[in-house]
Amino acid sequence: MKDKIAENILLLIAFSAILSLLLITFFIFQQGIPLIFKTGLHNFFSISWSPTKGGFGILSMIIGSLMVTAGALVVGIPFGLACAVFLAEFSSPTIQKTLKPIIELLAGIPSVVYGFIGIVILVPFIRETFGGPGFSVLAASIILGIMILPTIVSISYDSLLAVPNTYREGSYALGATKWQTVRMLLLHAARSGIVAGIILGMGRAIGETMAVIMIAGNALKIPGSLLDSVRTLTSTIALELGYAAGDHRAALFACGSILFIIIIILNIVAIRVTGRK
Amino acid sequence: MTFRIGPRTSQIIAYILLLVMTSITVIVLFFIIVYIFNHGIGQLSLEFLTDRTREMGKEGGIFPSIIGTLLVTMFAIAVATPLGVGSAVYLVEYTRGGLIRRIISFGADCLAGVPSIIFGLFGFIFFVIKLNLGWSIISGGLTLAVMILPTVIRTAEEAIKAVPHTYREISYSLGGGKLDTIVKVVLPTSLPGILTGIILGIGRAVGETAAVIFTAGSALGIPTSLFSSTRTLAVHFYILAREGISMPKAYGTATVLIIIILAVNFIAYRLMHRFIARYY
C-alpha cells in the first residue's frame, strides 16, 4: 500500500521535466505565435524592425544570429577537435587527468564574464587592429567560439575514448602511424559523438545572450562585413523585454518562439545522432 | 613529380599542430581567469563583501547581491532537488525501458539544451505575470529550478544506477519493501553522486544572468521577504560592466563570482571522483 502510493507520487514527480518543457513551449508560443500571423509571415520575415510603430520584421536578427553562430563554429570546431584529439590520443594519462577536468571546470565560467573579457580586451583590440567600432560580428564569433569549446572538447573526447582499443591495435598492426589512425579511422568511428558535440555547441552559441549583447554592438541592420555591428534574436529579446508592452512584447516572444523552434530541432538532431550509435 | 609528405613527417606535423592548438585553448581559458583575478583581487576587502551597494554600484560593496544570490539559489535548489531526485529514482527503480522512460528522458535532454533567455521569457510570463509573483526571489528561484532540473536528474540517475544490485537484493531478503530499500539503502549509498548534481546546479544558478534578470529583477536593497525583488551577483556584474558604472567594482564582483563558481565546481568534481572510485 505504502509502496503503491510512493510509486504514484514518484511517477508524478518524474513528469516534472517534460511538464516544464511543455509549459515553456505553450507559454512562449501562446504569447508569440499569434503576432506572427497578425503581422503576416511576409512582414515578419522582413528587415523592418520598429516595434513601437508596428514593424515586426526579424530578418536582420535571424541573419545576425546565424552569422555569429557560424563564426563561433569556425573558431570552436578546429580548436575543440584539436584539443579532444590531442587529449584522447596524443597525451599521457596524467595530462588527460589534469586537463580534462580543468577544461570542464572552465565551462562553468558565467557568460557575463566572457562578455566582459570581450569588452575590455577583444573589442579594443579589434578596433585598433582592423578599425571599425570593435563591437562586431568578429568579436562575438571569437568569444562565442571560446564559450562553446568546453562543450565540443568534452563530448568529442568522450566519444574518441569510447572507440574500442582493438580498432587502434588493428590499425597499428597494418603499419599506420598514430595520426593516420586518428584521421582515417578514429574520427570516423567517433563521428556521431563529435557531431552531437558540435550541434550542442551550436545550440549554445545561437542561444547565448548576455555575452553577445555586451560585444556585438546590437545595431539593427544586416552586417556587411565581419567588422560591422550585429544584433541577434537573443539580444533583441533581452534588450527590449524590460520596457516592451502589448504587441511589442508579443513580438519578443515571437523571436523567442523562432529561437525555441531552432533549438528544439538542434536538440532532437543531437539526441538522434547519439542514440544511433 | 608530385610532392608527397611521408606518414612519419605528417605524424610529426600533426602532433605539433595539435599541441599548439591545445596549448592556445588552455592558455586562453586560463588567461580569462588570471586577467579578471589580476584586476579584481585588489578590490576585495571585508568592506566590499559586507557593505551596502551605494550610488548604483559606484560606491560601497556587494552585500545585497551576495544575499540575493544566496536566497535565489537556495530557493532553486530547494525546489529542484526533490523533483530531480524523485525523477531519477523513478527512472532507475520503477521503469524498465519503455515509453514512459523515453518520454521522461527526452524531456530532461531537451530541457538541458534550452537557452537561458528562453527560461527568462518563460519565467517572466508564467511566474512573474500569470502567477502574479512579480519580480521576486520566488520567481527567480522557480525559473532557475526549472533550468537546473535536468542536471540534477541526470547526475542523480547515474548515481542511483551505480548502486550495486546486490545492495537492493540484500535489503529485500531482509524483508525490506521497495520504498524502504530506496530510502534506507539506495539513496544513502548514492548520496555523494546526487550531491554532485545539486552542487553543479548551484554553480549554474549562481552564474546565470539572462534567466534571473527578468524574473528576480534588479533591485539593489537587501531583500526583506521572498517576494522582494533582488539583484544577484551575476546581474549586478552585468549592469556594472555594460552600463560602465564602475570598472574596478565590476572586476571585484567578477572575481567574487568566479571564486564561488570555481569552488563550487571543484567540490562537485572531488565528490564525484570519490564516488566513482568507490563504485565503478
Side-chain angles (χ1 to χ4, degrees):
Chain A
M1 182 60 195
K2 203 173 73 182
D3 279 359
K4 202 70 209 157
I5 296 171
E7 180 172 351
N8 286 328
I9 292 175
L10 284 170
L11 175 64
L12 272 180
I13 289 177
F15 276 103
S16 57
I18 190 81
L19 185 72
S20 309
L21 190 69
L22 291 176
L23 273 178
I24 292 173
T25 317
F26 174 76
F27 277 103
I28 303 275
F29 285 0
Q30 184 228 19
Q31 297 289 315
I33 299 285
L35 183 105
I36 300 182
F37 290 110
K38 193 173 149 194
T39 313
L41 281 181
H42 179 72
N43 288 328
F44 187 66
F45 291 103
S46 74
I47 57 164
S48 71
W49 175 263
S50 47
T52 44
K53 294 179 205 118
F56 300 119
I58 63 164
L59 187 66
S60 63
M61 302 156 203
I62 292 185
I63 293 177
S65 282
L66 293 179
M67 278 179 87
V68 295
T69 304
L73 292 178
V74 169
V75 176
I77 292 176
F79 281 95
L81 269 187
C83 241
V85 169
F86 185 81
L87 281 183
E89 306 297 330
F90 289 91
S91 45
S92 66
T94 329
I95 296 183
Q96 284 181 2
K97 279 210 193 90
T98 339
L99 282 189
K100 175 96 193 304
I102 287 179
I103 289 177
E104 281 177 356
L105 222 57
L106 292 169
I109 298 180
S111 51
V112 271
V113 172
Y114 284 101
F116 185 63
I117 286 288
I119 293 184
V120 293
I121 299 176
L122 191 61
V123 167
F125 174 78
I126 291 176
R127 187 163 49 218
E128 279 150 32
T129 319
F130 305 107
F135 294 94
S136 55
V137 180
L138 183 63
S141 301
I142 294 175
I143 291 291
L144 284 177
I146 297 174
M147 288 179 73
I148 63 174
L149 270 174
T151 310
I152 297 181
V153 174
S154 178
I155 297 176
S156 307
Y157 172 87
D158 286 342
S159 55
L160 280 170
L161 280 201
V163 177
N165 249 331
T166 46
Y167 284 35
R168 294 180 183 84
E169 285 153 12
S171 169
Y172 298 150
L174 292 170
T177 63
K178 210 165 201 176
W179 172 239
Q180 284 174 326
T181 310
V182 167
R183 189 165 54 92
M184 299 177 187
L185 183 67
L186 300 182
L187 286 180
H188 292 274
R191 195 179 48 211
S192 62
I194 294 173
V195 170
I198 291 172
I199 294 172
L200 290 176
M202 203 171 151
R204 201 166 165 208
I206 206 166
E208 178 49 46
T209 312
M210 290 339 220
V212 177
I213 290 188
M214 292 165 92
I215 53 179
N218 308 320
L220 256 175
K221 60 177 173 42
I222 298 175
S225 85
L226 285 180
L227 299 175
D228 275 357
S229 166
V230 61
R231 187 197 274 221
T232 63
L233 285 170
T234 52
S235 8
T236 305
I237 297 171
L239 283 169
E240 299 180 10
L241 187 63
Y243 64 87
D247 274 0
H248 185 188
R249 185 197 280 165
L252 298 179
F253 277 89
C255 290
S257 307
I258 301 292
L259 180 70
F260 193 63
I261 292 169
I262 297 174
I263 294 285
I264 292 296
I265 293 173
L266 286 178
N267 273 337
I268 291 175
V269 173
I271 293 170
R272 290 233 138 184
V273 167
T274 39
R276 239 188 292 142
K277 225 192 280 188
Chain B
M1 204 177 89
T2 49
F3 179 72
R4 266 185 67 93
I5 302 174
R8 289 219 155 273
T9 326
S10 73
Q11 154 95 1
I12 293 167
I13 295 173
Y15 179 80
I16 293 171
L17 203 65
L18 290 175
L19 179 66
V20 169
M21 289 176 85
T22 307
S23 312
I24 293 175
T25 307
V26 175
I27 289 169
V28 164
L29 292 172
F30 260 104
F31 173 79
I32 291 175
I33 293 185
V34 172
Y35 188 87
I36 300 269
F37 277 14
N38 202 15
H39 287 74
I41 290 281
Q43 295 295 323
L44 300 191
S45 63
L46 195 63
E47 202 195 334
F48 184 67
L49 297 177
T50 55
D51 203 0
R52 283 171 178 270
T53 314
R54 290 193 298 270
E55 294 184 40
M56 303 310 289
K58 211 176 273 173
E59 299 292 328
I62 53 170
F63 186 65
S65 298
I66 293 179
I67 298 297
T69 308
L70 209 65
L71 290 174
V72 172
T73 307
M74 274 171 24
F75 198 90
I77 293 298
V79 176
T81 303
L83 293 179
V85 177
S87 301
V89 167
Y90 189 82
L91 275 176
V92 181
E93 303 292 330
Y94 290 93
T95 60
R96 296 267 169 275
L99 188 64
I100 291 187
R101 194 196 156 75
R102 286 226 304 278
I103 291 176
I104 296 169
S105 289
F106 175 81
D109 281 346
C110 264
L111 205 58
V114 172
S116 44
I117 186 71
I118 296 284
F119 286 111
L121 276 176
F122 166 69
F124 174 71
I125 201 70
F126 186 59
F127 298 126
V128 176
I129 292 179
K130 299 275 176 196
L131 297 186
N132 210 9
L133 295 167
W135 279 340
S136 61
I137 291 169
I138 296 185
S139 298
L142 287 172
T143 309
L144 287 179
V146 178
M147 193 180 91
I148 61 178
L149 186 59
T151 313
V152 179
I153 294 180
R154 281 304 182 204
T155 328
E157 190 188 348
E158 291 304 318
I160 294 170
K161 260 192 212 157
V163 175
H165 252 283
T166 45
Y167 284 35
R168 298 183 179 84
E169 280 152 19
I170 291 169
S171 167
Y172 293 143
S173 71
L174 292 172
K178 186 144 195 167
L179 186 63
D180 291 328
T181 307
I182 291 170
V183 174
K184 292 184 185 143
V185 179
V186 175
L187 287 181
T189 319
S190 54
L191 189 64
I194 292 174
L195 279 178
T196 306
I198 295 170
I199 295 171
L200 287 175
I202 294 178
R204 254 197 99 186
V206 169
E208 183 49 47
T209 314
V212 280
I213 196 168
F214 299 116
T215 52
S218 55
L220 261 177
I222 295 172
T224 49
S225 82
L226 288 178
F227 288 97
S228 304
S229 165
T230 189
R231 179 188 284 201
T232 64
L233 278 171
V235 173
H236 184 55
F237 168 55
Y238 169 73
I239 292 172
L240 287 181
R242 183 162 151 71
E243 296 179 4
I245 292 173
S246 161
M247 278 300 167
K249 300 284 181 199
Y251 277 115
T253 313
T255 306
V256 174
L257 196 58
I258 293 181
I259 290 176
I260 294 174
I261 284 167
L262 287 185
V264 160
N265 283 357
F266 185 71
I267 294 170
Y269 174 77
R270 290 306 297 254
L271 256 178
M272 186 163 63
H273 266 252
R274 260 209 233 139
F275 182 68
I276 288 174
R278 205 181 321 157
Y279 292 106
Y280 278 96

